[in-house]
Amino acid sequence: MKHFRNFSIIAHIDHGKSTLADRLLERTGRVTQREMVYNQILDDNPLEQERGITIKLHAIQMDYKAQDGEVYKLNLIDTPGHVDFSYEVSRSLSACEGALLVVDATQGVEAQTISNLFMAIDQGLEIIPVINKIDLPAAQTTVETVKQQVIDLLGCKEEDLILASAKAGIGIDEILEAVVERVPPPTGDPTKPLRALIYDSIFDPYRGVVVNVRVFDGVLKERDKIRFWNTNQAYEVDEVGILYMKRERTKVLEAGNVGYFTAAIKALTDTKVGDTVTLASNPCESPIDGFKEVKPMVFSGIYPAESDDFEDLREALGKLTLNDAAISYEAETSSALGFGFRCGFLGLLHMEIVQERLEREFNQTIVTTVPNVRYKVITNKGETLWVDNPSQLPDPTHIADIQEPYIRAQIIAPTEYVGTIMKLCIERRGQMLGQSYLSADRVDLTFDLPLGEVVFDFYDKLKSTTRGYASLDYELGDYKSGELVRMDILLNGEPVDALSSIVHRQKAHEWGKKLCKKLRELIPRQMFEVAIQAAIGSKIVARESISAMRKNVIAKCYGGDISRKRKLLEKQKEGKKRMKQVGRVEVPQEAFLAVLSLDD
Amino acid sequence: MLGFYLHIPFCDKKCTYCDFYSIESTGLIDRFVDTLLTEIALLPCDERPLTSIFFGGGTPSLLQPEQIRQILDHIHQKYELDSGCEITMESNPGTVTQASLEGYRAAGVNRLSVGVQSFVAEELSFLTRIHSATDAQVAINHARSAGFDNINLDLMFALPGQTLESLTVSLNHALDLQTDHISAYSLIFEPGTPLHAQLLKGAVAPQAEEYDAEMYALVMERLAHGGYEQYEVSNYARVSSRNLQCVHNLTYWHGHDYLAAGPSAHALHRGMRSWNHRSLTAWTEKITAGHLGHANTEVLTPEQRRTELAFTTLRADGLPVDRFQAEFGVDVRVALQPHLGYWISDGLVEDRGTVLRLTRKGYQLCDPITLTVLDSL
């Protein structure tokens, strides 16, 4: 066991995590230079590569012959790189004894890095600070500041820092040596009953769920009868192995090691991240701490663009949940959009990923509604209702209290943007809890914010008003009461359920005005005038109108025009299919996301 | 019903707005006529009598009366002509004389279409026409003296710079002439034309939709008031004991067959549409080599036929309810609900029993109504 080292890499997007991982694999002979050229090995999903983020976890074992002459088995356990997946990050960190903190020498520390770093420190991980990209010309002027930031942050000494460039191959040996020297070997007792942590699981259509685990105590063997502590499901293990570039069968996995097993498990819902695996007949005394049921935080309606495709969409969602257990979905009906699903996601990025996967991998053409959070409604009769679709909020006269989820947001940015960020957060009903300076020109701000205000375009706004310099991280807080009201949108007097939203009473007027204006831009003129109204209950708070089309006819259609005209009409007819009919009004699908692009 | 369209692709000068195929090399006309005669010989036979022949262009009046006679003779040798066969020739007022008009009439042409476009000098100059307002009036009088008793007059509106007042001037002139038929087109900026290029450069601007609509309303109203019945978006026939609607154009709009000859001409024959090369050279080569002049053909599926019939009848004298039931098994009144109800109550469509017909307000919005009809059928 003293030859195992389990570690992960904590880094902000673009600070070089994937390149560094690739370089470590190359240095330990796991992949060749040739394979390296166009790939970042760990991010193997095209969506991950495009967005430069890690969505699913990966792990890989490397053999490294250290300067002491011994060969060590280094398990690199990757972490997902986005705030939506912070629970998964915490679980993969708890499978490790150490972490590389990678900071870009030209960018400095970012919010997401800090929150993941604190998570790692809380779990007692040994932190190895790495200043990356030191070969960049810009680094010459910034590296000293960044070094000081890291020293202040960790309370470490300057000699603890490793200066590196993953791209140029600088400092790679020092990093590998530091992993061996500084990261403690795993502790654990191979003679005790099995106690292993699930840090990830993926669905393989041929073998069922492949569970990735870190074994803390005992030994996991093929043919073992195992039980998952929290889901209480029992299975017989088929195959056990470690993760090299591909899965490699070893039949056993002993305490301290990281690997995978299969057991003809059909659903990811049985293998929850953070759960403990033990033996059915000889269980461990207690589970591994920190297990949480992951709950969706952001909800949105997903509808087929053409109502005939409802069953196809159901099938696609079913398949998608096989390898993404965090999605929830249930059928719902909208008078504007027809039959569809109300889906729950971990966060906004997760929502976008699901939408893109539905379109790309499952060929679905979908209409999505504006995301919202789940509200807690206490009725006058004292009942508690959970509302995740604004159109289902009960009549205000029946409501005693509405509560909404809050987050604690941490924003790190250059000091010159403090004013802008405060303004944005206050507009979003945020409350500042504190600010501290990371260095003379970087500030760390903490706010409590309603999540409902963040799911709109908060992140984009934050990025655009700070020229991309601010970084955001958040953790979920409590539910708090708010003066919330449902705002409906009416087109020619008919309410459009898919456009209803829950907003703060004081912002409702402004919101209604903007939304009506935006809809006026997005809804094309019809053969009649269209009235757009925003209403709270029966009170109209804003209105706009779209004047009727006056003339729309091509003057000529003779023998030579008919074929061309038919083809044009056929094409226009296809376009019309993507319009949704609300009463007599044809509404383009973009309109259902109008709220997301409201200008301030 | 069986029509025959002949495309004469020559002009003395191309108008900037026109996107019909036409060239200014009038020296090639004689050879073109020979090729056209060859093409007629190559066309498929049809036992049905021709109900209309149409010389379009280009400027067919650049052909000598003798050449028109020759072409008609060739057609007559191959096809039977219905006793009332309508034979139309388009003409440019700047290219006809009393003598030539007499010649065309004697050659068998019995309907003359005169491309007047406007009676306002500035507008004619904007359209780069080669004739004057007086030329137009003279040409129509000459046509009458030559024995034409079925004359169409073409007008255009929604021209940049045109006003309701100047349009009224043209309409009044046209009504004074009491031609048998009037076509009045709203200007189209056709991609590829010099006028469209001017539009892209910002050198000309189209009329605002609101004003365009007012002009169209004025045209429809004045012509109706002046004794003309509208039977298509841009076409009006003088109310008379004779039927003065254009038989040839109705052949297109009612989905009947038409033969075609000449470069760029389109035919619809026994379920197949074909169109000739839009190049005199390419077309001539094909014909000379003993082939038809087709650039391409398409065999229409029943659904495509239904689509075409729906939009061409709708923009003309109405969607034929019984025909849709008989040919396609569609009850259009049922299929078009709930829209039809709205359209009728909004005064866009009238249910005339045998047809669902656009009103004047409906013609203004013909294209979106058409799209909804196609989407519902």
Side-chain angles (χ1 to χ4, degrees), chain B residues 63-332:
Chain B
L63 264 61
Q64 297 303 315
E66 183 46 37
Q67 292 172 309
I68 296 288
R69 178 196 299 278
Q70 229 183 333
I71 296 166
L72 287 173
D73 281 351
H74 272 71
I75 294 174
H76 205 167
Q77 278 163 26
K78 181 155 182 168
Y79 302 99
E80 195 186 326
L81 261 60
D82 188 81
S83 61
C85 183
E86 173 195 276
I87 304 177
T88 306
M89 191 180 92
E90 289 182 334
S91 69
N92 185 323
T95 65
V96 291
T97 61
Q98 173 77 46
S100 67
L101 288 169
E102 282 170 6
Y104 297 131
R105 184 70 194 87
V109 177
N110 57 24
R111 184 172 181 272
L112 190 74
S113 176
V114 188
V116 173
Q117 318 309 357
S118 167
F119 287 94
V120 177
E122 295 78 34
E123 291 168 10
L124 287 170
S125 129
F126 169 80
L127 292 169
T128 62
R129 299 292 300 194
I130 57 172
H131 67 273
S132 67
T134 321
D135 288 342
Q137 276 155 332
V138 169
I140 286 163
N141 290 333
H142 283 165
R144 289 218 169 100
S145 320
F148 282 102
D149 63 355
N150 192 350
I151 300 174
N152 169 57
L153 182 154
D154 273 351
L155 283 181
M156 291 180 80
F157 65 93
L159 307 172
Q162 194 176 34
T163 61
L164 286 167
E165 291 70 33
S166 71
L167 176 60
T168 306
V169 169
S170 288
L171 287 169
N172 286 344
H173 275 290
L175 288 169
D176 283 349
L177 284 166
Q178 277 293 301
T179 51
D180 308 280
H181 189 280
I182 294 175
S183 299
Y185 302 101
S186 173
L187 176 69
I188 306 172
F189 290 82
E190 299 277 8
T193 59
L195 182 66
H196 191 254
Q198 282 177 277
L199 176 75
L200 294 180
K201 271 192 294 185
V204 290
Q207 291 281 4
E209 184 188 317
E210 189 75 11
Y211 204 62
D212 183 1
E214 280 184 49
M215 288 191 184
Y216 188 30
L218 178 74
V219 169
M220 290 190 281
E221 202 228 330
R222 291 302 300 259
L223 294 183
H225 196 250
Y228 289 81
E229 190 203 17
Q230 183 172 14
Y231 67 103
E232 198 255 357
V233 168
S234 309
N235 284 280
Y236 309 79
R238 188 161 57 80
V239 178
S240 153
S241 54
R242 290 187 291 148
N243 175 19
L244 294 171
Q245 295 180 348
C246 177
V247 173
H248 188 76
N249 287 339
L250 282 170
T251 302
Y252 297 142
W253 300 328
H254 290 167
H256 299 305
D257 279 3
Y258 46 99
L259 301 159
S264 82
H266 284 56
L268 176 66
H269 196 238
R270 307 211 187 276
M272 185 178 83
R273 173 167 290 109
S274 55
W275 50 97
N276 281 349
H277 282 284
R278 195 184 156 96
S279 145
L280 181 63
T281 321
W283 170 80
T284 305
E285 274 174 18
K286 286 281 288 269
I287 306 290
T288 321
H291 304 295
L292 290 167
H294 296 169
N296 221 330
T297 59
E298 63 183 5
V299 176
L300 297 177
T301 64
E303 197 186 340
Q304 289 171 330
R305 281 194 343 102
R306 191 183 65 195
T307 299
E308 291 190 356
L309 190 69
F311 76 76
T312 56
T313 54
L314 191 66
R315 52 180 289 129
D317 50 0
L319 202 67
V321 179
D322 295 341
R323 195 169 160 195
F324 267 81
Q325 184 72 61
E327 286 186 31
F328 306 109
V330 179
D331 184 338
V332 289

Side-chain angles (χ1 to χ4, degrees), chain A residues 255-283:
Chain A
N257 207 351
V258 172
Y260 74 92
F261 72 89
T262 63
I265 304 166
K266 289 193 184 63
L268 280 181
T269 43
D270 284 353
T271 61
K272 294 189 191 288
V273 168
D275 202 354
T276 303
V277 186
T278 189
L279 293 176
S281 53
N282 182 16

Side-chain angles (χ1 to χ4, degrees), chain A residues 566-576:
Chain A
R566 187 194 75 234
K567 284 165 191 157
L568 178 71
L569 285 164
E570 282 165 349
K571 212 167 132 195
Q572 290 174 337
K573 206 172 109 179
E574 279 309 302
K576 202 178 165 76

